[in-house]
Amino acid sequence: MAEGPLKVALLIVSTTAAKDPSTDSSQVVLSNVLEKEGVGKWELIDTKIVSDVVVQIQRQIMLWADVGAEGVHLIVTTGGTGFATSDNTPEAVSALLHKQAPGLVHGMLAASLDVTPFAMMSRPVAGVRNRTVIVTLPGSPKGAKENLEAIIKMLPHACLQAAGADSRTLHAGGVKKLEADAGISSDQRHAHSHAHHDHGHSHGHGHSHGHGHGHGNLVRHTAPGANPMSNDPSLGPSRRSRESPYPMLSVDDALQKIREHTPAPEIVTSKVDTSLIGRVLAESVSAREHVPGFRASIVDGYAVVVPEDGKMSGVFPVVSVSHAAPGESGMKSLKEGEIARITTGAPLPPGATSVIMVEDTVLKTMTDDGKEEKEVEIIADDVQEGENIREVGSDIEAEDVVLSKGELVSAVGGEIGLLAAVGVAEVKTYRKPIIGVLSTGDEIVHHDRPGDLRLGEVRDTNRITLMCAAREQGFEVVDLGIAADKPGTLEQTLCDALRRVDLVITSGGVSMGELDLLKPTVERSLGGTIHFGRVSMKPGKPTTFATVPVKNDAGERISKVIFSLPGNPASALVTFHLFVLPSLHQMSGISPAGLTKVPVFLAHDFPLDKSRPEYHRAVAAVDENGRLVATSTGGQRSSKVGSLRGANCLLCLPSGKEPMKKGTKVDALLMGGVRSEL
């Protein structure tokens, strides 16, 4: 064996990560495999990120394999092995290899095919250049992890041979010794493969969506942290975790995680029409023209030329008429001693310096046919120039900033009208994310299915409730249906959903039951990162926030968001407003994100939870003294969907042993409009 650990270099092939290294999650995943599965045999000495460009890939590999002073034994690449037009890694690496290693390629493909037929879409390459073994892995952290785990125990032997070790010495003792040195055996290899790739797909749902019944006070007899274990559903109920591996975060810390890991908003070009409502401007908007674009009257009356002394009393001939009609030109210039009848909004005739209101005049004579005014008496003295006139650009001047970056275009604020007034047809906005809502579990049936429920069946109230809540906030929602409890179904459903939407909301399957599979599926099958899996709050303790790496249509690696909410209806809706909505707002460019917080006074005593802060469903209204007063909606059990009926706010109540007294001022998060009275 070589002295000390074998040296590894990692090459991440991703145009996106080359621009922003923070978007890469492969390095951490593969480093963990080298550390945990490599049993101290590997040392990661260098990591580089390059774009999906053949020359850049080859240059870095040659620097390590040809001229590197470190003596790199193994180069691992990740990314660019698929069928996208930008996927060039296999071609770049194949041209550099002096020897092919089809056995390693077969091992990677065989392991991945045990997981999904889509492994056929990967094009791995392996071989030797000079004294360095080179292996290409997929860009997906999940796929890369699977492939590396499949061959990691065989690679030390390959690297030692490639580095020039004596084959006779290496093979002394036969295959059994080689297997023992690698930490594998012929008898165990097949069983290990199945255990590794099962990913916990033989699952059902031990969780309760709580749509028909609930639970009382929870009783815990051991202290948290006394028996922590990580959960692997494939091990079965006898070896399931007795303690969640996810640390309990405060609500504030959970919200901070959401702010840190929610993808940045995407800028698009939007037409100025009714579809613009609810969008946020991604850049400031300037007026294309003056408003008004001509000198206009602001009253019905008579355009006049004001003499120097301002005295306008007298009888004047009506020489022309100006209406607020487009296209009129060639109006006769007005002279002192003449007047022109004019309507509100109409352009002033040339030479006019003021407008006299019709109320300050008297008709003196008419034309012979009686249809038009001939002479009008004006009763006004001390008239000033510019009276009752809107000058050019007096409302808005061309190039003035009319709306600023970050402003929300509302249906009631007049922003649409302002953009229309200044001639703006298109603006840059932040694209609103598309949301997918999914329910999980064989016990869940469509809420409108006719007939009685069978034993164990639960009507799906969460999906329609969450879809309505998201649409109420102005977001497009895709109904992802119900995922059945069959091997691979949840994984495949989530994969399909992440291709269609920007953010997935699921409910149920996130508690401590032996078959609660949302978290294992996200971590083990999708290669995602769970940023938090427990929150110190009531209701909603098992709320989970994760991001999953995916490739967009351009072949760029991006992150998409999954919120896995508790199955109990009240918990799901509370956590949607508390956690999902701020993430949606951030992706839409809305600031500040989340529900509006206001102070309210308690209308009666409120009991407190002894250990966790509570988000109590309540009704806020204005009392006779003009104060906002909150009244509970009743029983607050997490399974009690009726506790949200009529609720327009969530009261932020601390934990405590004694009730919070009537008249106490607390913060409330407004979910809807405030009532005028209780």
Side-chain angles (χ1 to χ4, degrees):
M1 298 293 288
E3 294 183 4
L6 297 168
K7 296 177 180 179
V8 187
L10 175 61
L11 181 62
I12 299 163
V13 181
S14 168
T15 301
T16 302
K19 296 176 182 176
D20 182 5
S22 67
T23 61
D24 174 68
S25 56
S26 299
Q27 180 179 353
V28 174
V29 171
L30 296 179
S31 298
N32 288 339
V33 174
L34 291 168
E35 180 181 350
K36 295 178 181 179
E37 301 291 335
V39 198
K41 296 179 180 179
W42 303 100
E43 178 188 1
L44 182 60
I45 62 169
D46 198 7
T47 299
K48 290 288 189 290
I49 302 176
V50 298
S51 298
D52 293 270
V53 178
V54 170
V55 174
Q56 294 185 25
I57 298 169
Q58 292 179 333
R59 181 187 298 121
Q60 186 56 56
I61 289 176
M62 288 188 289
L63 284 173
W64 282 327
D66 297 359
V67 299
E70 297 88 351
V72 176
H73 296 95
L74 174 66
I75 296 173
V76 176
T77 77
T78 173
T81 63
F83 283 78
T85 56
S86 60
D87 289 338
N88 299 310
T89 304
E91 289 69 33
V93 173
S94 293
L96 300 178
L97 296 179
H98 299 147
K99 297 177 182 178
Q100 299 286 333
L104 293 177
V105 172
H106 179 79
M108 290 188 287
L109 285 174
S112 291
L113 285 169
D114 279 346
V115 179
T116 173
F118 276 91
M120 288 184 279
M121 297 297 99
S122 181
R123 303 182 298 121
V125 170
V128 179
R129 179 177 178 84
N130 295 327
R131 293 171 172 263
T132 303
V133 175
I134 305 173
V135 177
T136 67
L137 305 178
S140 158
K142 167 185 173 291
K145 178 174 180 287
E146 289 173 351
N147 278 213
L148 186 56
E149 286 177 336
I151 61 174
I152 186 69
K153 293 186 183 298
M154 306 302 297
L155 287 175
H157 186 78
C159 289
L160 290 172
Q161 281 197 299
D166 180 66
S167 292
R168 287 183 177 275
T169 303
L170 282 178
H171 293 97
V175 174
K176 292 293 185 183
K177 183 177 185 303
L178 291 174
E179 290 180 346
D181 289 342
I184 59 175
S185 72
S186 302
D187 296 333
Q188 295 172 343
R189 207 161 50 240
H190 180 74
H192 170 78
S193 173
H194 279 274
H196 170 67
H197 289 295
D198 180 34
H199 293 291
H201 290 313
S202 299
H203 63 273
H205 276 255
H207 64 83
S208 166
H209 279 251
H211 294 268
H213 58 276
H215 52 267
N217 293 328
L218 303 178
V219 179
R220 173 74 186 272
H221 293 283
T222 58
N227 52 351
M229 294 175 62
S230 60
N231 188 34
D232 183 350
S234 65
L235 299 179
S238 64
R239 296 179 64 186
R240 65 169 169 155
S241 174
R242 265 30 185 198
E243 179 66 44
S244 172
Y246 306 101
M248 183 83 77
L249 298 188
S250 68
V251 170
D252 287 342
D253 287 343
L255 289 171
Q256 180 59 34
K257 292 283 188 183
I258 291 171
R259 286 190 288 270
E260 291 174 358
H261 298 287
T262 292
E266 176 186 347
I267 298 176
V268 296
T269 300
S270 302
K271 291 185 178 297
V272 176
D273 56 25
T274 55
S275 66
L276 194 62
I277 300 302
R279 293 182 181 268
V280 174
L281 296 176
E283 65 179 14
S284 297
V285 180
S286 299
R288 294 180 58 244
E289 55 204 24
H290 293 300
V291 179
F294 53 87
R295 299 177 72 224
S297 174
I298 62 174
V299 297
D300 293 327
Y302 297 88
V304 301
V305 179
V306 179
E308 290 184 6
D309 60 8
K311 294 181 179 180
M312 285 298 304
S313 297
V315 177
F316 298 88
V318 181
V319 298
S320 62
V321 178
S322 179
H323 293 300
E328 293 185 358
S329 60
M331 284 189 295
K332 179 183 176 182
S333 181
L334 202 61
K335 300 176 182 178
E336 189 174 331
E338 298 175 336
I339 65 174
R341 190 168 79 247
I342 193 167
T343 57
T344 301
L348 268 68
T353 58
S354 190
V355 176
I356 304 298
M357 297 175 63
V358 69
E359 291 86 346
D360 294 330
T361 67
V362 177
L363 177 62
K364 299 299 290 184
T365 62
M366 296 181 291
T367 57
D368 292 341
D369 58 10
K371 293 182 178 180
E372 286 291 343
E373 301 171 333
K374 186 175 181 181
E375 294 178 316
V376 169
E377 181 181 1
I378 294 177
I379 309 170
D381 285 322
D382 195 23
V383 178
Q384 304 295 316
E385 289 187 357
E387 287 184 1
N388 299 322
I389 294 175
R390 291 170 66 210
E391 297 292 347
V392 173
S394 58
D395 289 353
I396 302 170
E397 291 189 1
E399 304 305 321
D400 277 356
V401 174
V402 293
L403 290 174
S404 299
K405 177 181 177 180
E407 285 197 58
L408 176 68
V409 179
S410 69
V412 297
E415 293 86 3
I416 288 282
L418 182 56
L419 292 171
V422 297
V424 175
E426 292 182 337
V427 291
K428 297 291 186 182
T429 65
Y430 297 114
R431 183 176 68 84
K432 300 190 75 171
I434 300 173
I435 305 164
V437 180
L438 173 70
S439 288
T440 61
D442 284 340
E443 77 276 21
I444 305 302
V445 299
H446 292 283
H447 74 280
D448 55 357
R449 192 197 72 181
D452 296 333
L453 294 175
R454 294 177 297 177
L455 180 64
E457 289 185 331
V458 179
R459 294 198 186 275
D460 184 5
T461 64
N462 282 354
R463 184 160 49 99
I464 188 173
T465 301
L466 292 169
M467 288 173 63
C468 290
R471 284 177 178 150
E472 173 70 14
Q473 296 293 332
F475 294 98
E476 180 182 345
V477 182
V478 175
D479 185 353
L480 299 176
I482 301 171
D485 284 337
K486 292 181 174 60
T489 298
L490 181 58
E491 176 186 353
Q492 190 59 53
T493 301
L494 288 173
C495 285
D496 292 341
L498 291 169
R499 296 188 186 101
R500 301 168 58 192
V501 303
D502 303 295
L503 182 148
V504 175
I505 304 172
T506 72
S507 62
V510 290
S511 293
M512 288 296 294
E514 65 194 72
L515 301 175
D516 287 332
L517 300 177
L518 233 304
K519 292 169 181 172
T521 299
V522 168
E523 285 188 311
R524 298 167 183 268
S525 301
L526 300 181
T529 301
I530 292 181
H531 301 290
F532 64 79
R534 290 194 304 164
V535 185
S536 179
M537 61 176 293
K538 178 183 179 182
K541 177 181 174 182
T543 301
T544 298
F545 167 62
T547 52
V548 176
V550 299
K551 278 193 174 183
N552 60 15
D553 294 338
E556 299 171 327
R557 192 176 301 170
I558 60 174
S559 290
K560 292 195 176 182
V561 171
I562 296 179
F563 278 97
S564 296
L565 309 182
N568 283 316
S571 299
L573 203 50
V574 167
T575 52
F576 168 83
H577 284 101
L578 197 59
F579 298 120
V580 182
L581 192 57
S583 183
L584 292 172
H585 281 173
Q586 187 170 326
M587 294 173 72
S588 306
I590 297 174
S591 181
L595 297 176
T596 299
K597 182 182 289 187
V598 297
V600 299
F601 295 91
L602 302 182
H604 52 79
D605 292 356
F606 278 73
L608 301 178
D609 187 86
K610 294 180 180 179
S611 58
R612 287 179 287 163
E614 180 178 2
Y615 291 83
H616 195 108
R617 285 77 78 196
V619 179
V622 180
D623 68 6
E624 64 276 7
N625 298 316
R627 303 185 310 166
L628 276 180
V629 177
T631 303
S632 174
T633 57
Q636 299 289 300
R637 193 173 60 225
S638 61
S639 61
K640 191 171 183 179
V641 69
S643 66
L644 280 155
R645 179 187 175 193
N648 64 358
C649 71
L650 299 173
L651 300 182
C652 306
L653 302 181
S655 60
K657 297 180 180 180
E658 300 297 327
M660 189 161 278
K661 297 299 183 181
K662 174 182 177 180
T664 303
K665 186 166 71 171
V666 300
D667 286 332
L669 299 171
L670 292 181
M671 298 186 294
V674 175
R675 300 181 182 182
S676 59
E677 58 182 12
L678 289 173

